[in-house]
Amino acid sequence: MKLQYLQTQAQRAAFAGIFVILLPSFFPNLFDPLGRAYPSMFSEWNAPSPKHIRLLEGALHQQISEKQQSDIWSPLTYQGWKPCLDSASVSLNPEKSQGYIQVFLDGGLNQQRMGICDAVAVAKLLNATLVIPHLDVNPVWQDSSSFTDIFDVDHFIEVLQDEVSIVKELPSKFAWSTREYYATGIRATRIKTAPVHASAKWYLENVLPMLNSHGIAAIAPFSHRLAFDNLPKEIQLLRCKVNFQALAFVPHIRMLGDTLVQRLRSPPNAKIATKDEGLHEKMEDEIGSGKFIVLHLRFDKDMAAHSACDFGGGKAEKLALAKYRQVIWQGRVMKTQFTNEELRQQGRCPLTPEEIGLLLRALGFNNDTRLYLASHKVYGGEARVSTLRKLFPLMEDKKSLASDKERTEVEGKASLLAAVDYYVSMHTDVFISASPGNMHNAMLGYRAYRNMKTVRPNMVLLSQLFLNETMEWPEFQQAIETGHKNRQGQIRVRKEMQSIYTYPIPDCMCQGHQ
């Protein structure tokens, strides 16, 4: 009897072991800490419902005046600053180079853009030849796209040829200097300890001697490795030139971006359904001239977990985000020491899709607005986006506007998909980001340079308004209008330590008549 009991227990243990082994196969999101763009199993079981019912009802029934419509869509008036790179006096590229500079860039698309601009500036400082920067595999999205996959390399070299020497590849005698070579040990030609926001003097004292000794220097990591202040004016102008003129996307990204922009500017009824799985194609004889807004919805699982805020998914969601935060950052998230209310009062919680939708409606965008959603997969999935879609039924994204065939060259490649969103954001009438970040900062800079409308959400004000559960729609709308009157693209002069890529005035622009 005892033997039979032991055999039964052993069988149960074996079945339990098999179940534990197979469980990740059936529920991968529950166990994969790097499945960052997908909702966890916990949040799927407990789909988030709207948090601000009172405001949502008011938004859905509001009447927007013609004046509100006119004001929100009207372009910015000239503010007294204009691009001045064409007349910039950057010294010519000397004939003799001191050696070759390699940089290895991590991060996402926008962080890599800044790194490329800084790399050109460092090459100029050292009178060195820049090798086309190497983009490391993105650890979040596992994207191995190279510089030439994203940017038009011939255009890049041509625009900068008079100021900086740039080559696509190293000469054969330096062929050994690869990313793999520097990953296998300490190398005499690698600089691994470049300080964040290093000065020009640091590069002259630490990198130039290496160039003189070896003819080559590799800097990894390189992101944010050049200061924003106390640099020669010509170096600042050069960084601006790279950012606003030299970095153009490859033709197929621009072509897809133009297609999306054209379709967004066309009325919804100007599209016809094809037999190709119900996808939409724009009619050939329609020319889009309407207006649209781009919303960069940065609400992925990383953002939600790192913020340590409560997003209305209940205890299950809190547990899922807490476990994810512990796996990824081992508890090293300082915001966890604050309560949700404290974080919100400080404006440190990213806006949910519902909240950014309410903000847009309060600003004067109605349910006829063509809204393009620039984002990766949203944490919480469609359940999280449904309220935003109810507020803006004409919301579109890459998949709804372009067929599978049109997206073939960018599908599954996070950097290329981000580049398409970046391109569409460059051409929209109004841009807004749901929370600060690299995309938000990049667009602030580009659109300030072009004097285009960009709404900067007042995060502290919004957090306080959303914490007030008794507020009615008219009061909310008035507070939003007042609090964002001067946050729609008005000129902001760069302060010390601030990024030249976010605030291009006065380094990239000059005062004068338009």
Side-chain angles (χ1 to χ4, degrees):
M1 192 74 176
K2 185 175 181 181
L3 179 61
Q4 184 178 6
Y5 171 78
L6 290 174
Q7 288 177 335
T8 303
Q9 291 294 96
Q11 287 176 341
R12 288 176 179 174
F15 281 124
I18 293 171
F19 177 75
V20 169
I21 292 172
L22 293 178
L23 190 58
S25 300
F26 293 107
F27 304 108
N29 295 327
L30 195 60
F31 293 88
D32 183 5
L34 296 179
R36 299 173 181 235
Y38 296 89
S40 71
M41 285 299 298
F42 296 113
S43 65
E44 286 181 331
W45 287 338
N46 200 15
S49 57
K51 286 188 65 177
H52 310 287
I53 302 296
R54 189 187 299 263
L55 295 178
L56 181 58
E57 286 297 317
L60 291 171
H61 293 95
Q62 73 168 335
Q63 296 294 321
I64 297 176
S65 68
E66 290 184 8
K67 185 180 184 305
Q68 276 183 300
Q69 281 282 291
S70 175
D71 289 346
I72 196 64
W73 287 114
S74 62
L76 292 173
T77 57
Y78 179 60
Q79 301 182 73
W81 291 86
K82 61 181 181 180
C84 53
L85 300 186
D86 292 338
S87 59
S89 56
V90 178
S91 61
L92 296 178
N93 180 33
E95 292 184 6
K96 183 172 174 56
S97 168
Q98 297 295 318
Y100 292 92
I101 285 285
Q102 286 179 292
V103 297
F104 300 97
L105 301 173
D106 56 8
L109 174 69
N110 293 291
Q111 188 171 326
Q112 290 171 341
R113 279 186 69 103
M114 292 184 283
I116 293 166
C117 298
D118 287 347
V120 173
V122 167
K124 182 70 175 179
L125 276 170
L126 300 176
N127 183 25
T129 297
L130 176 68
V131 184
I132 290 296
H134 176 90
L135 310 185
D136 285 337
V137 175
N138 189 298
V140 176
W141 309 119
Q142 294 298 309
D143 189 344
S144 59
S145 298
S146 67
F147 184 105
T148 54
D149 291 329
I150 304 170
F151 301 107
D152 188 331
V153 66
D154 292 325
H155 174 83
F156 180 75
I157 294 173
E158 181 181 351
V159 170
L160 301 170
Q161 63 184 350
D162 292 335
E163 288 93 1
V164 182
S165 174
I166 303 175
V167 295
K168 295 180 182 179
E169 296 178 350
L170 284 167
S172 57
K173 68 175 181 177
F174 292 119
W176 47 267
S177 187
T178 63
R179 191 67 176 108
E180 292 72 24
Y181 172 77
Y182 292 111
T184 56
I186 298 173
R187 305 296 186 185
T189 52
R190 178 184 177 181
I191 292 178
K192 194 176 181 180
T193 56
V196 173
H197 299 156
S199 66
K201 183 181 178 183
W202 185 89
Y203 280 98
L204 291 170
E205 291 179 349
N206 294 275
V207 183
L208 188 57
M210 183 179 291
L211 287 175
N212 293 332
S213 298
H214 302 283
I216 188 170
I219 310 175
F222 186 71
S223 296
H224 308 297
R225 292 310 194 270
L226 182 63
F228 290 120
D229 303 297
N230 302 317
L231 290 170
K233 183 178 180 180
E234 69 169 30
I235 296 299
Q236 298 288 66
L237 287 170
L238 182 58
R239 292 165 103 175
C240 301
K241 187 171 185 177
V242 180
N243 191 32
F244 298 121
Q245 293 184 3
L247 281 176
F249 294 121
V250 291
H252 67 82
I253 289 177
R254 300 200 304 271
M255 189 178 302
L256 178 56
D258 285 333
T259 298
L260 298 180
V261 169
Q262 189 180 43
R263 291 174 185 173
L264 285 163
R265 294 205 180 282
S266 303
N269 58 10
K271 296 194 299 183
I272 56 173
T274 68
K275 295 179 181 179
D276 181 14
E277 300 176 357
L279 297 169
H280 295 93
E281 294 289 346
K282 186 179 178 301
M283 294 174 66
E284 294 288 339
D285 58 350
E286 293 286 345
I287 299 176
S289 58
K291 298 181 182 298
F292 72 97
I293 180 173
V294 168
L295 166 60
H296 179 239
L297 186 57
R298 191 179 179 215
F299 198 78
D300 54 43
K301 194 172 184 179
D302 270 7
M303 168 69 79
H306 197 272
S307 72
C309 300
D310 179 8
F311 298 106
K315 292 182 179 179
E317 183 175 86
K318 286 183 182 178
L319 175 61
L321 292 178
K323 291 181 69 175
Y324 181 83
R325 190 162 50 241
Q326 184 62 33
V327 170
I328 300 300
W329 295 288
Q330 290 79 47
R332 299 190 304 274
V333 178
M334 298 301 293
K335 296 174 186 175
T336 54
Q337 62 187 296
F338 298 101
T339 65
N340 178 66
E341 287 71 23
E342 289 171 333
L343 290 170
R344 290 194 174 278
Q345 287 172 351
Q346 297 167 20
R348 299 174 72 177
C349 294
L351 298 175
T352 65
E354 175 189 357
E355 290 168 343
I356 195 72
L358 291 169
L359 167 61
L360 289 171
R361 289 297 288 264
L363 287 171
F365 296 102
N366 61 21
N367 62 357
D368 292 330
T369 300
R370 302 301 303 278
L371 186 150
Y372 177 83
L373 194 61
S375 79
H376 203 68
K377 293 180 180 177
V378 176
Y379 178 63
E382 180 59 29
R384 186 80 71 181
V385 180
S386 60
T387 302
L388 176 62
R389 195 180 302 280
K390 185 182 296 185
L391 289 165
F392 294 96
L394 301 183
M395 186 168 70
E396 307 273 13
D397 58 18
K398 292 179 286 292
K399 287 189 175 181
S400 67
L401 285 170
S403 67
D404 290 344
K405 183 178 180 181
E406 289 172 315
R407 302 194 315 271
T408 299
E409 294 188 78
V410 301
E411 201 60 62
K413 301 171 184 175
S415 293
L416 301 190
L417 291 167
V420 173
D421 284 341
Y422 191 106
Y423 187 85
V424 176
S425 300
M426 291 166 64
H427 294 85
T428 184
D429 299 279
V430 183
F431 175 86
I432 185 170
S433 183
S435 60
N438 288 328
M439 177 70 165
H440 168 87
N441 294 338
M443 277 298 118
L444 273 182
Y446 175 83
R447 295 176 68 82
Y449 184 74
R450 299 294 182 191
N451 197 45
M452 301 171 74
K453 185 168 283 190
T454 308
V455 178
R456 293 185 300 112
N458 187 329
M459 302 297 284
V460 174
L461 171 65
L462 285 163
S463 295
Q464 293 170 351
L465 295 178
F466 287 129
L467 283 172
N468 186 344
E469 297 182 0
T470 63
M471 180 171 284
E472 297 290 344
W473 178 256
E475 183 184 356
F476 176 81
Q477 185 176 22
Q478 182 59 52
I480 290 295
E481 286 185 353
T482 303
H484 290 83
K485 190 169 293 183
N486 295 312
R487 300 178 69 90
Q488 299 185 30
Q490 285 76 10
I491 288 297
R492 302 177 72 195
V493 177
R494 188 176 74 86
K495 298 177 182 178
E496 189 175 1
M497 301 293 290
Q498 287 185 331
S499 169
I500 192 174
Y501 308 118
T502 307
Y503 305 103
I505 300 168
D507 303 272
C508 311
M509 305 180 74
C510 36
Q511 290 179 299
H513 298 292
Q514 193 171 17

